[in-house]
């Protein structure tokens, strides 16, 4: 009889404990979203004077250079995407591509991954509809201006044109 009394007493304590925990979790779960005092990635924004608006392009590929600590996204218009898929990118007329490069930074809101940090450059390739010659322009963030005098414009142009499109479902 005494043992039964002790079991009932312990069961009551255990039930009370779990009810208290459930109420505490319910109250904590109903709290509002945490206040974010700033946008998390304003340094990665492409300025308007760069002459590039990514909303008019599709992502063709992404690149990460771990040694340099950079990440890049290669954007392309529809003409460049079709030409790249058929491996005829060098002769495509009307193509437009942009390789945007950022410095990597740790994501302050998610442990263990990197996000774009400071914008480093926007490299653009374009050709008109009459000729297949490709024009290369470079926008450097540090100078906040175009720099057509890149040290290796042909090497950079070839690097961008050699990128293969990512396979997406």
């Amino acid at each position: 009889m005494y043992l039964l009394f002790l079991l009932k007493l312990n069961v009551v304590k255990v039930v009370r404990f779990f009810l208290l925990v459930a109420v505490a979790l319910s109250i904590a779960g109903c709290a509002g979203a945490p206040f974010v005092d700033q946008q998390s990635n304003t340094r990665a924004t492409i300025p308007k004077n760069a002459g590039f608006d990514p909303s008019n392009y599709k992502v063709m590929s992404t690149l990460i250079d771990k040694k340099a600590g950079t990440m890049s996204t290669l954007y392309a218009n529809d003409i460049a995407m079709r030409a790249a898929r058929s491996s005829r990118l060098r002769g495509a007329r009307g193509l437009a591509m942009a390789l945007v490069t950022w410095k990597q930074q740790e994501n302050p809101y998610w442990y263990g991954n990197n996000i774009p940090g400071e914008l480093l450059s926007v490299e653009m390739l374009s050709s008109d509809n009459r000729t297949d010659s490709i024009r290369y322009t470079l926008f450097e963030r540090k100078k906040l201006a175009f720099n057509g005098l890149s040290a290796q414009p042909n090497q950079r142009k070839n690097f961008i044109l050699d990128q293969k499109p990512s396979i997406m479902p």
Side-chain angles (χ1 to χ4, degrees):
M1 189 95 158
Y2 181 71
L3 185 61
L4 192 59
F5 174 73
L6 285 177
L7 283 175
K8 280 186 176 179
L9 184 64
N10 285 337
V11 170
V12 170
K13 285 183 178 179
V14 169
V15 169
R16 283 184 184 165
F17 173 76
F18 280 115
L19 281 173
L20 183 62
V21 168
V23 169
L25 288 176
S26 297
I27 291 171
C30 293
F35 176 73
V36 178
D37 59 348
Q38 64 179 353
Q39 290 182 0
S40 63
N41 214 2
T42 56
R43 293 177 36 196
T45 303
I46 301 169
K48 293 197 183 295
N49 66 336
F52 174 68
D53 179 11
S55 64
N56 298 326
Y57 293 78
K58 295 178 181 173
V59 173
M60 183 171 144
S61 183
T62 58
L63 303 108
I64 294 176
D65 186 345
K66 288 185 179 185
K67 286 183 182 179
T70 61
M71 56 190 352
S72 303
T73 301
L74 180 59
Y75 296 93
N77 67 355
D78 289 332
I79 294 169
M81 288 294 282
R82 283 193 301 273
R85 286 187 184 122
S86 64
S87 299
R88 292 188 222 131
L89 196 54
R90 296 195 186 272
R93 294 181 178 181
L95 72 80
M97 301 172 76
L99 182 65
V100 182
T101 304
W102 297 272
K103 192 77 175 157
Q104 284 184 344
Q105 72 177 23
E106 287 187 21
N107 187 345
Y109 302 107
W110 194 265
Y111 176 75
N113 69 352
N114 293 320
I115 58 173
E118 177 187 1
L119 176 69
L120 298 177
S121 65
V122 178
E123 298 172 272
M124 291 180 276
L125 299 181
S126 62
S127 68
D128 61 25
N129 289 329
R130 290 168 283 179
T131 66
D132 58 356
S133 65
I134 298 174
R135 188 178 77 173
Y136 171 85
T137 54
L138 169 66
F139 175 87
E140 290 181 298
R141 179 68 173 155
K142 288 182 182 176
K143 297 178 182 177
L144 289 173
F146 284 98
N147 180 5
L149 304 173
S150 173
Q152 307 269 333
N154 286 332
Q155 184 179 12
R156 293 301 297 167
K157 180 170 44 171
N158 289 332
F159 173 77
I160 294 169
L161 290 171
D162 287 341
Q163 299 305 308
K164 304 293 183 214
S166 297
I167 298 172
M168 297 181 201

Coordinates of all heavy atoms in Angstrom, one line a residue, residues 112-147:
G112 N 28.5 27.9 -40.7 CA 29.2 26.9 -41.5 C 29.1 27.2 -43.0 O 29.5 26.3 -43.8
N113 N 28.6 28.3 -43.4 CA 28.5 28.6 -44.9 C 28.9 30.0 -45.2 O 29.1 30.8 -44.3 CB 27.1 28.3 -45.5 CG 26.1 29.2 -45.0 OD1 26.3 30.1 -44.1 ND2 24.9 29.1 -45.6
N114 N 29.2 30.3 -46.4 CA 29.7 31.6 -46.8 C 28.6 32.2 -47.8 O 27.9 31.5 -48.5 CB 31.0 31.5 -47.5 CG 32.1 31.1 -46.6 OD1 32.2 31.6 -45.5 ND2 33.0 30.2 -47.1
I115 N 28.6 33.5 -47.8 CA 27.7 34.3 -48.6 C 28.5 35.3 -49.3 O 29.7 35.6 -48.9 CB 26.5 34.9 -47.9 CG1 27.0 35.8 -46.8 CG2 25.6 33.8 -47.3 CD1 25.9 36.6 -46.1
P116 N 28.0 35.9 -50.4 CA 28.8 37.0 -51.0 C 28.9 38.2 -50.0 O 28.0 38.6 -49.3 CB 27.9 37.5 -52.2 CG 27.0 36.3 -52.5 CD 26.8 35.6 -51.2
G117 N 30.1 38.7 -50.0 CA 30.4 39.9 -49.2 C 30.6 41.1 -50.1 O 29.7 41.4 -50.9
E118 N 31.7 41.7 -50.0 CA 32.0 43.0 -50.8 C 32.1 42.6 -52.3 O 32.7 41.7 -52.7 CB 33.3 43.6 -50.3 CG 33.8 44.8 -51.1 CD 35.1 45.3 -50.7 OE1 35.8 44.6 -49.9 OE2 35.6 46.3 -51.3
L119 N 31.4 43.4 -53.1 CA 31.5 43.3 -54.5 C 32.9 43.7 -55.0 O 33.4 44.8 -54.7 CB 30.4 44.2 -55.2 CG 30.4 44.1 -56.7 CD1 30.0 42.8 -57.3 CD2 29.5 45.3 -57.3
L120 N 33.5 42.8 -55.8 CA 34.8 43.1 -56.3 C 34.8 43.6 -57.7 O 35.5 44.6 -58.1 CB 35.7 41.9 -56.2 CG 36.0 41.3 -54.8 CD1 36.8 40.1 -54.8 CD2 36.7 42.4 -53.9
S121 N 34.0 42.9 -58.6 CA 34.1 43.3 -60.0 C 32.8 42.8 -60.7 O 32.2 41.8 -60.3 CB 35.3 42.8 -60.7 OG 35.3 41.4 -60.8
V122 N 32.6 43.4 -61.9 CA 31.6 42.9 -62.8 C 32.2 43.0 -64.2 O 32.6 44.0 -64.7 CB 30.3 43.8 -62.8 CG1 29.3 43.3 -63.9 CG2 29.6 43.9 -61.5
E123 N 32.4 41.8 -64.8 CA 33.0 41.7 -66.1 C 31.9 41.4 -67.1 O 31.2 40.4 -66.9 CB 34.1 40.6 -66.1 CG 35.3 40.9 -65.2 CD 36.2 39.7 -65.1 OE1 35.9 38.8 -64.2 OE2 37.2 39.6 -65.8
M124 N 31.9 42.2 -68.2 CA 30.8 42.0 -69.1 C 31.3 41.7 -70.5 O 32.3 42.3 -70.9 CB 29.9 43.2 -69.1 CG 29.1 43.4 -67.8 SD 28.0 44.8 -67.8 CE 29.2 46.0 -67.3
L125 N 30.6 40.8 -71.2 CA 30.9 40.4 -72.6 C 29.6 40.7 -73.3 O 28.5 40.4 -72.9 CB 31.3 39.0 -72.7 CG 32.5 38.4 -72.0 CD1 32.7 36.9 -72.3 CD2 33.7 39.2 -72.4
S126 N 29.8 41.3 -74.5 CA 28.6 41.5 -75.4 C 29.1 41.5 -76.8 O 30.2 41.8 -77.2 CB 28.0 42.8 -75.0 OG 28.9 43.9 -75.2
S127 N 28.1 41.2 -77.7 CA 28.3 41.3 -79.1 C 27.0 41.8 -79.7 O 26.0 41.6 -79.2 CB 28.7 39.9 -79.7 OG 27.6 39.0 -79.7
D128 N 27.2 42.5 -80.8 CA 26.0 43.0 -81.5 C 25.4 42.0 -82.4 O 26.0 40.9 -82.6 CB 26.2 44.4 -82.1 CG 27.2 44.3 -83.3 OD1 27.4 43.2 -83.8 OD2 27.8 45.3 -83.6
N129 N 24.3 42.3 -83.0 CA 23.6 41.3 -83.9 C 24.2 41.3 -85.3 O 23.9 40.4 -86.1 CB 22.1 41.7 -84.1 CG 21.4 41.4 -82.8 OD1 21.7 40.5 -82.0 ND2 20.4 42.2 -82.5
R130 N 25.1 42.2 -85.7 CA 25.7 42.2 -87.0 C 27.0 41.5 -87.1 O 27.4 40.9 -88.1 CB 25.9 43.6 -87.5 CG 24.5 44.3 -87.8 CD 24.7 45.7 -88.0 NE 24.8 46.2 -86.6 CZ 25.0 47.5 -86.2 NH1 25.1 48.4 -87.1 NH2 25.1 47.8 -85.0
T131 N 27.8 41.6 -86.0 CA 29.1 40.9 -86.0 C 29.3 39.9 -84.9 O 28.5 40.0 -83.9 CB 30.3 42.0 -85.9 OG1 30.2 42.6 -84.6 CG2 30.2 43.0 -87.0
D132 N 30.2 39.1 -85.0 CA 30.4 38.1 -83.9 C 31.6 38.5 -83.0 O 32.1 37.8 -82.2 CB 30.6 36.7 -84.4 CG 31.8 36.6 -85.4 OD1 32.4 37.6 -85.7 OD2 32.1 35.4 -85.8
S133 N 32.1 39.8 -83.2 CA 33.2 40.2 -82.3 C 32.7 40.5 -80.9 O 31.6 41.1 -80.8 CB 33.9 41.4 -82.9 OG 33.0 42.5 -82.9
I134 N 33.4 40.1 -79.9 CA 32.9 40.2 -78.5 C 33.7 41.3 -77.8 O 34.9 41.4 -77.8 CB 33.1 38.9 -77.8 CG1 32.2 37.8 -78.5 CG2 32.7 39.0 -76.4 CD1 32.4 36.4 -78.0
R135 N 32.9 42.2 -77.2 CA 33.5 43.3 -76.5 C 33.5 43.0 -75.0 O 32.6 42.4 -74.4 CB 32.6 44.6 -76.7 CG 33.2 45.8 -76.1 CD 32.4 47.0 -76.4 NE 31.2 46.9 -75.4 CZ 30.3 47.8 -75.3 NH1 30.3 48.9 -76.0 NH2 29.4 47.6 -74.4
Y136 N 34.7 43.3 -74.3 CA 34.9 43.0 -72.9 C 35.0 44.4 -72.2 O 35.7 45.3 -72.6 CB 36.2 42.3 -72.7 CG 36.6 42.1 -71.3 CD1 36.2 41.1 -70.5 CD2 37.5 43.0 -70.7 CE1 36.6 40.9 -69.2 CE2 37.9 42.8 -69.4 CZ 37.5 41.8 -68.7 OH 37.8 41.6 -67.4
T137 N 34.2 44.5 -71.1 CA 34.3 45.6 -70.2 C 34.4 45.1 -68.8 O 33.9 44.1 -68.4 CB 33.1 46.6 -70.3 OG1 31.9 45.8 -70.1 CG2 33.1 47.2 -71.7
L138 N 35.1 45.9 -68.0 CA 35.3 45.6 -66.6 C 34.9 46.7 -65.7 O 35.3 47.9 -65.9 CB 36.8 45.3 -66.3 CG 37.3 45.1 -64.9 CD1 36.7 43.9 -64.2 CD2 38.8 45.0 -64.9
F139 N 34.1 46.4 -64.7 CA 33.7 47.4 -63.7 C 34.4 46.9 -62.4 O 34.1 45.8 -61.9 CB 32.2 47.4 -63.5 CG 31.7 48.3 -62.4 CD1 31.5 49.6 -62.6 CD2 31.5 47.8 -61.1 CE1 31.1 50.5 -61.6 CE2 31.1 48.6 -60.1 CZ 30.8 49.9 -60.3
E140 N 35.2 47.8 -61.8 CA 35.9 47.4 -60.6 C 35.2 48.2 -59.4 O 35.1 49.4 -59.5 CB 37.4 47.7 -60.6 CG 38.1 46.8 -61.5 CD 39.6 47.1 -61.6 OE1 39.9 48.2 -62.0 OE2 40.4 46.2 -61.2
R141 N 34.9 47.5 -58.4 CA 34.2 48.1 -57.3 C 35.1 49.2 -56.5 O 34.6 50.2 -56.1 CB 33.7 47.0 -56.3 CG 33.0 47.6 -55.1 CD 31.7 48.2 -55.4 NE 31.0 48.5 -54.2 CZ 30.1 49.4 -54.1 NH1 29.8 50.1 -55.2 NH2 29.5 49.7 -53.0
K142 N 36.3 48.9 -56.4 CA 37.2 49.8 -55.7 C 37.3 51.1 -56.3 O 37.3 52.1 -55.6 CB 38.7 49.2 -55.6 CG 38.8 48.0 -54.7 CD 40.2 47.5 -54.6 CE 40.3 46.3 -53.7 NZ 41.6 45.7 -53.7
K143 N 37.2 51.2 -57.6 CA 37.3 52.4 -58.3 C 35.9 53.0 -58.6 O 35.7 54.1 -59.0 CB 38.0 52.3 -59.7 CG 39.4 51.8 -59.5 CD 40.1 51.6 -60.8 CE 41.6 51.2 -60.5 NZ 42.3 50.9 -61.7
L144 N 34.8 52.2 -58.4 CA 33.5 52.6 -58.6 C 33.3 53.1 -60.1 O 32.6 54.0 -60.3 CB 33.0 53.6 -57.6 CG 32.8 53.1 -56.2 CD1 32.5 54.2 -55.3 CD2 31.6 52.1 -56.2
A145 N 34.0 52.5 -61.0 CA 34.0 53.0 -62.3 C 34.4 51.9 -63.3 O 35.0 50.9 -62.8 CB 34.9 54.2 -62.5
F146 N 34.2 52.1 -64.6 CA 34.6 51.1 -65.6 C 36.1 51.3 -65.7 O 36.7 52.3 -65.7 CB 33.9 51.3 -66.9 CG 32.5 50.8 -66.9 CD1 31.5 51.7 -66.6 CD2 32.3 49.5 -67.1 CE1 30.2 51.2 -66.6 CE2 31.0 49.0 -67.0 CZ 29.9 49.9 -66.8
N147 N 36.8 50.1 -66.0 CA 38.2 50.1 -66.3 C 38.4 49.2 -67.5 O 38.5 48.0 -67.4 CB 39.0 49.5 -65.1 CG 40.5 49.5 -65.3 OD1 40.9 50.0 -66.3 ND2 41.2 48.9 -64.4

